[in-house]
Amino acid sequence: MSLIADKITGLFTSPCNGEDARASWRRNWEKVSSIVFNGITAFNFLFFLLLCIRLVFVYLYNAPQSYFYIGCVGAIAVLVVVFFNTTLSFMIFIACIPLAGGLFSCGILPFSPLNFGFAVLFIAWFLKNIKNLRRLCCMNVKPPLLGRLVDTLSFIAILSLVVTLFRYPWDYLLYNLTTYPNALRNDDFFILTATFVMVEGLMLYRMFTLDDVLARHSNSFRKLVYVQAGIIIFFIGLQFLFHYPPMYSQFYGLYSPFTDIHSFGSITLFYFFTLLISVSKMDDRVQQFLGVSALAVLFIALIFSYSRATWIAFAIFIAVLIFRGLRHKGAIAVCAAVLLGVVLIINAYPSRLLKSENVNVRRFGSAMVVSSLLEDRNVLGRLFWIDRALRIVADYPITGIGLGRYYGNPSQFREFSDALTRRMEKRVTGPAVKEMKKRRENVHNYYVQLAAELGIPAVVIFCAIIVAVFLQGRTLIRNNVHKNFFKGTLVGLGVYLFTMLSMQPLYLPDQSLLFCFFLALISMSHKKFTPQAACRSL
Amino acid sequence: MTVRSSGAFRIIAEAILMGSLILIGVVHCSHMNSSEVMLDSYGFFSESSFEGEKMRWAWRESYMHVRPQTEILGMSVWVPPELVQDAPLELAVMLNDRLLDRRIFFEGGKKSGYYVVPDIMRSQHVEVKFQANKTYNPFRLGFTRDATRNREQSAAIGDIRFLRIMPFQGLGFLPPGGADELLRKQCRDMPDGFRWTGRRATINIEQEIPKGAELVLCCLHPDIEKQPVSVEIEIDGKRSQAIDFTSHAAQTIAAPEALVAGARGLTLTASRTWNPRIEKITDDDRDLGIALAVRPY
């Protein structure tokens, strides 16, 4: 005990010769904060390791015999590749994220192997770096504040998981932890899946930013974005041309290689804008041709995505890019007037669009015509879901109710607020309101849902991470480090974050991994190309 | 804007992060100690649609918290035929840890049950618990190729519903079955038009019990002499009287007028039920409580 007490008192040293009290206080603070945050980092790594081991065990234990052998061989192969060439294994994994989703959506795989694959990759990476754990957890170096933000968010999610799991009876908890790998969003234990999905993304970010070997190859990882775009285009072609898998609504509603039209729309927008800005500055004719072809396919995919939020986000960001590109104030005013005029004409004569025989045109009309939008059941429904989420935030502002638990429609929040119900009953019938109360749904706004499930501090930290990454991206652009690519990536991320106002794509493993990979790509490049700035900036 | 990592901004940011973590920890601890209902339900898996109703698959034991809207609550249960092909499923329904019903299912399909429980209106939340005697894993047994159903599940249970109006013919009475003939033979005092209850049933007083009428009750539990059956009578949730049955003889009680006047429901709860099929007496697979007939004055 005295040894521990000595260690603690030893942390707080009095000013050295020539050092003023302020500098001494700062030195002591840095010691305390490094112990707290390094402890959090180490805890996150170890807890996530346990989650990964559990996931691998449960997947293999519950898999049919053929999948058990395939899983074992795959896991051993990943372990071997990671030990011999970590960078290669990560490159294969990152490139294969859309591929895994595509094989699952086509029905070739019975479940998406992404979580399993990432768990094996993490275990292998952890084992390989176990000697460097102390260094990885930043015991000796002062990590960037961004890393601490990411670790804190992971820690909040893990804490919420642990607290929620302890509320369940032990036998049920043990049963679920040992035998049930596929908790769906209706299941009680979806909190385990939701937390794993969120933390795996954040861990991917930390692995990329902590491991110097990976950070050295940031340029190679950057090129993987084009490989991913190629794989996505392949699956889009397969679904669009051969209806494999069938589209959401006969000829509309592309979603392959992802799981639903909305998340497909979000990520396709990201690739579209990244490619658009990269291709516009390319010198090589062949690259330009390939880029323009890819853009054309992605544009068609966006049209046929059937997701109104995707269309609206696309229109807004394209308009902003055009206005920025025009520079001439008169031209901007003319363009804005034309756009406004088109919108007004559509709203003045809505029947041509709303009564069209083409489903896609009708859908487009319902997004453009304000009166139709205000009557739309899906739009009104979102007001109800947001109202419910805000009441959860009011009751649990600091902790939320646990990741992934909103969808279960907790009984104490099933009723909507009286004001909203009164207002809505004028637009929708009583039975429809009753139906909405019973319905299990997501908020359709990631930020509000995150606040309801993990508390306001988590949303603030999430937003701080985004801002910090955007600042890093801006530093890269200012230093002309792959300027067009990172400009495109930032715009792409901006659209993606905008679409999250009406969707929640980050609850899906492929989206979470891709999103965090893009964040990591910016941070890695920032760390590699601007070492001086890295010391000074976030 | 480049921010100095070693500057005041970093210290403030780290202090805010640490403060948030401490706050989150304290609030989590306070929630652990408070009686707030954070865990809304447990023991449920994903939902499926059965005959137009969405139901959630349940584990061996499951519960859900509901906010009572009326005193009549009900639910539907889907029993998968695969589960009962070897042995019947026994499902106990409990309300706030009090046994409400125990049903035995020999065949698969959708079944519904309604219960009148006036005292639930006194609390903001009630806990409805389900306990099954067996589970099965549809994926492992080869009933489905859907890997997400690789789990131990029992029956699927629908949302708790609340009825606003008491049905004319009451609630909790069983349709006619093979044991009716047995009752006519063994209990000759029983008037025609009797009905069997499950463990618990409620009569609509206004519609079914005329003034001065008598209630004739009879139990046919095979082991009634060794283990007497107690029947509790409640009027609108208030305990009126209890009757013990030690033989198959019918007992007659006068409907207590003072209590019945203006009352809505008379609820009979048997201490236990019996199943003629399990006892190998007839093929009737109903869980029988009390046979009840109303004899007008």
Side-chain angles (χ1 to χ4, degrees):
Chain A
M1 283 300 283
S2 64
L3 195 71
I4 296 168
D6 287 348
K7 285 246 176 196
I8 292 170
T9 48
L11 283 174
F12 302 98
T13 53
S14 49
C16 308
N17 289 342
E19 190 183 37
D20 62 1
R22 201 170 160 182
S24 166
W25 185 87
R26 183 172 288 177
R27 194 155 44 78
N28 285 335
W29 169 264
E30 275 172 10
K31 276 184 186 174
V32 172
S33 73
S34 68
I35 286 172
V36 171
F37 286 105
N38 294 343
I40 286 172
T41 312
F43 173 80
N44 287 348
F45 271 111
L46 291 171
F47 192 90
F48 190 69
L49 180 73
L50 287 178
L51 284 182
C52 287
I53 292 170
R54 176 246 163 208
L55 190 90
V56 171
F57 165 75
V58 170
Y59 258 101
L60 290 178
Y61 176 74
N62 287 286
Q65 206 171 24
S66 55
Y67 289 110
F68 171 80
Y69 291 126
I70 294 169
C72 284
V73 171
I76 292 166
V78 171
L79 281 167
V80 171
V81 177
V82 170
F83 269 91
F84 284 101
N85 194 333
T86 312
T87 314
L88 180 68
S89 61
F90 272 76
M91 287 179 83
I92 293 170
F93 179 78
I94 296 295
C96 287
I97 292 173
L99 183 68
L103 293 177
F104 172 58
S105 66
C106 289
I108 295 168
L109 293 174
F111 52 83
S112 172
L114 264 183
N115 284 347
F116 177 79
F118 185 78
V120 175
L121 187 74
F122 181 82
I123 293 168
W125 178 85
F126 190 87
L127 291 177
K128 191 181 178 187
N129 289 287
I130 201 154
K131 284 183 195 161
N132 301 329
L133 184 64
R134 193 175 157 82
R135 188 184 61 78
L136 283 175
C137 295
C138 324
M139 299 291 184
N140 302 321
V141 292
K142 192 198 288 181
L145 189 58
L146 180 53
R148 293 199 164 164
L149 287 170
V150 172
D151 285 342
T152 309
L153 188 57
S154 300
F155 183 73
I156 291 172
I158 289 172
L159 189 69
S160 173
L161 171 73
V162 172
V163 170
T164 310
L165 290 189
F166 271 104
R167 292 176 202 277
Y168 287 101
W170 279 101
D171 55 345
Y172 184 58
L173 178 66
L174 280 175
Y175 167 74
N176 274 280
L177 286 179
T178 52
T179 57
Y180 187 44
N182 302 306
L184 304 176
R185 56 188 184 172
N186 281 323
D187 296 334
D188 293 334
F189 269 63
F190 183 59
I191 185 169
L192 200 60
T193 309
T195 309
F196 188 88
V197 167
M198 183 183 197
V199 179
E200 78 177 335
L202 298 172
M203 281 292 159
L204 183 81
Y205 177 90
R206 289 303 271 153
M207 288 153 85
F208 272 118
T209 49
L210 286 173
D211 194 333
D212 292 335
V213 179
L214 295 175
R216 267 205 303 275
H217 294 90
S218 61
N219 206 26
S220 310
F221 280 106
R222 187 178 59 80
K223 288 172 187 160
L224 287 182
V225 174
Y226 301 115
V227 178
Q228 289 168 344
I231 293 172
I232 290 170
I233 287 168
F234 171 76
F235 280 104
I236 288 171
L238 213 56
Q239 189 171 32
F240 189 67
L241 298 174
F242 304 105
H243 293 254
Y244 183 66
M247 285 155 87
Y248 176 72
S249 168
Q250 204 172 5
F251 298 111
Y252 311 100
L254 284 166
Y255 59 85
S256 182
F258 301 99
T259 40
D260 69 305
I261 58 170
H262 300 301
S263 58
F264 170 84
S266 292
I267 203 76
T268 309
L269 277 173
F270 169 82
Y271 285 105
F272 180 84
F273 281 99
T274 307
L275 282 180
L276 181 70
I277 295 172
S278 305
V279 168
S280 64
K281 309 283 178 185
M282 277 178 184
D283 298 328
D284 190 322
R285 286 283 171 90
V286 178
Q287 282 183 355
Q288 256 185 352
F289 173 75
L290 288 174
V292 170
S293 310
L295 277 173
V297 175
L298 291 177
F299 180 69
I300 292 168
L302 286 172
I303 291 174
F304 283 86
S305 71
Y306 205 62
S307 162
R308 288 178 295 189
T310 304
W311 293 338
I312 292 170
F314 176 79
I316 290 173
F317 275 77
I318 278 287
V320 170
L321 284 181
I322 290 170
F323 290 158
R324 276 181 67 92
L326 284 174
R327 289 169 194 243
H328 194 274
K329 280 184 184 170
I332 291 174
V334 170
C335 275
V338 168
L339 271 177
L340 196 68
V342 169
V343 173
L344 285 175
I345 290 168
I346 287 173
N347 276 278
Y349 306 99
S351 55
R352 293 296 286 268
L353 283 178
L354 295 177
K355 289 179 183 171
S356 166
E357 285 181 8
N358 187 310
V359 183
N360 228 16
V361 173
R362 278 208 305 274
R363 182 89 168 163
F364 174 72
S366 67
M368 292 294 288
V369 179
V370 178
S371 58
S372 160
L373 211 56
L374 293 176
E375 299 292 328
D376 191 279
R377 292 261 313 255
N378 285 344
V379 177
L380 296 177
R382 279 165 208 220
L383 292 179
F384 279 112
W385 320 146
I386 288 174
D387 170 68
R388 180 182 288 160
L390 291 178
R391 282 184 301 108
I392 295 175
V393 174
D395 280 11
Y396 300 100
I398 307 297
T399 56
I401 53 169
L403 263 182
R405 293 194 65 217
Y406 178 91
Y407 190 85
N409 193 3
S411 64
Q412 65 265 47
F413 300 106
R414 211 158 280 173
E415 296 294 320
F416 299 116
S417 65
D418 294 339
L420 185 74
T421 310
R422 272 200 301 276
R423 187 172 284 225
M424 282 301 154
E425 274 171 352
K426 290 175 190 165
R427 295 188 185 281
V428 286
T429 55
V433 176
K434 208 172 167 185
E435 186 57 38
M436 279 174 184
K437 281 180 190 171
K438 282 204 295 187
R439 200 163 140 193
R440 294 189 178 93
E441 254 307 347
N442 283 306
V443 182
H444 285 83
N445 182 315
Y446 182 75
Y447 309 99
V448 179
Q449 184 151 351
L450 192 64
E453 293 183 347
L454 220 49
I456 294 168
V459 181
V460 174
I461 293 171
F462 178 79
C463 294
I465 291 169
I466 301 298
V467 170
V469 171
F470 269 75
L471 287 176
Q472 287 184 337
R474 202 180 63 163
T475 313
L476 287 173
I477 293 165
R478 282 186 176 173
N479 290 320
N480 277 329
V481 181
H482 302 296
K483 186 178 172 182
N484 296 317
F485 175 80
F486 285 113
K487 230 182 196 176
T489 309
L490 287 188
V491 174
L493 278 176
V495 190
Y496 193 89
L497 291 165
F498 181 80
T499 59
M500 275 161 50
L501 288 169
S502 66
M503 309 172 194
Q504 53 286 321
L506 293 186
Y507 281 81
L508 302 167
D510 43 12
Q511 301 275 329
S512 173
L513 286 168
L514 285 173
F515 179 77
C516 290
F517 166 67
F518 303 137
L519 298 185
L521 200 56
I522 294 170
S523 295
M524 280 158 72
S525 305
H526 183 263
K527 188 176 169 184
K528 183 182 171 186
F529 291 106
T530 54
Q532 297 90 347
C535 294
R536 284 186 284 106
S537 74
L538 283 167
Chain B
M1 183 187 73
T2 308
V3 186
R4 276 196 192 178
S5 59
S6 58
F9 177 80
R10 189 188 171 92
I11 291 176
I12 293 168
E14 284 177 348
I16 291 171
L17 281 181
M18 275 196 229
S20 321
L21 285 177
I22 292 167
L23 185 65
I24 289 168
V26 169
V27 175
H28 270 307
C29 288
S30 70
H31 283 168
M32 291 284 261
N33 295 331
S34 76
S35 59
E36 276 177 276
V37 182
M38 276 287 283
L39 202 63
D40 193 51
S41 65
Y42 99 91
F44 288 103
F45 302 115
S46 57
E47 62 190 11
S48 303
S49 205
F50 299 102
E51 296 175 15
E53 187 180 348
K54 280 189 174 172
M55 298 189 191
R56 296 175 77 192
W57 288 101
W59 189 56
R60 180 161 42 84
E61 186 178 287
S62 56
Y63 75 59
M64 59 175 93
H65 283 116
V66 286
R67 181 177 289 194
Q69 291 164 14
T70 67
E71 58 190 30
I72 308 168
L73 82 160
M75 76 241 14
S76 299
V77 176
W78 172 266
V79 180
E82 309 91 85
L83 181 61
V84 290
Q85 62 188 15
D86 297 330
L89 167 75
E90 193 177 324
L91 187 73
V93 184
M94 288 186 277
L95 192 79
N96 290 338
D97 283 332
R98 199 179 69 196
L99 184 68
L100 196 63
D101 198 4
R102 188 185 295 279
R103 301 269 295 266
I104 296 171
F105 300 98
F106 287 89
E107 284 165 14
K110 189 176 172 184
K111 326 272 172 180
S112 297
Y114 282 91
Y115 309 94
V116 180
V117 194
D119 55 349
I120 58 170
M121 294 305 286
R122 284 185 216 132
S123 48
Q124 278 224 318
H125 288 93
V126 289
E127 182 189 286
V128 186
K129 198 172 191 173
F130 303 90
Q131 274 179 335
N133 67 334
K134 58 192 286 200
T135 56
Y136 78 118
N137 187 324
F139 181 76
R140 291 207 157 202
L141 294 175
F143 292 116
T144 176
R145 289 194 62 203
D146 181 2
T148 60
R149 287 185 64 193
N150 185 358
R151 63 196 178 200
E152 287 295 326
Q153 60 184 39
S154 58
I157 292 164
D159 279 339
I160 303 292
R161 295 188 292 264
F162 290 94
L163 288 188
R164 296 204 178 274
I165 301 163
M166 169 84 79
F168 285 166
Q169 68 278 24
L171 286 165
F173 291 98
L174 305 173
D180 296 357
E181 198 53 43
L182 189 72
L183 181 78
R184 285 192 191 99
K185 279 181 194 162
Q186 294 201 4
C187 190
R188 294 189 182 277
D189 297 341
M190 201 69 186
D192 280 341
F194 64 85
R195 288 180 294 171
W196 278 104
T197 72
R199 187 170 179 275
R200 188 180 170 95
T202 302
I203 311 171
N204 187 333
I205 293 175
E206 206 176 280
Q207 299 294 329
E208 294 190 88
I209 308 182
K211 226 176 182 181
E214 287 176 335
L215 302 181
V216 185
L217 309 172
C218 180
C219 292
L220 277 194
H221 295 66
D223 55 349
I224 200 159
E225 283 160 10
K226 287 180 195 161
Q227 282 184 287
V229 176
S230 171
V231 175
E232 199 169 274
I233 300 174
E234 290 171 54
I235 295 173
D236 279 353
K238 285 178 196 145
R239 193 169 181 273
S240 165
Q241 57 180 305
I243 306 166
D244 290 331
F245 286 84
T246 50
S247 70
H248 293 161
Q251 295 196 35
T252 305
I253 57 163
E257 274 182 41
L259 279 173
V260 167
R264 292 173 61 204
L266 186 144
T267 303
L268 301 158
T269 309
S271 57
R272 61 193 176 91
T273 54
W274 70 288
N275 191 298
R277 188 159 155 182
I278 289 182
E279 301 293 340
K280 294 178 182 159
I281 294 171
T282 69
D283 271 350
D284 191 344
D285 63 0
R286 298 175 298 169
D287 296 310
L288 304 177
I290 317 138
L292 166 80
V294 179
R295 185 184 287 153
Y297 177 66

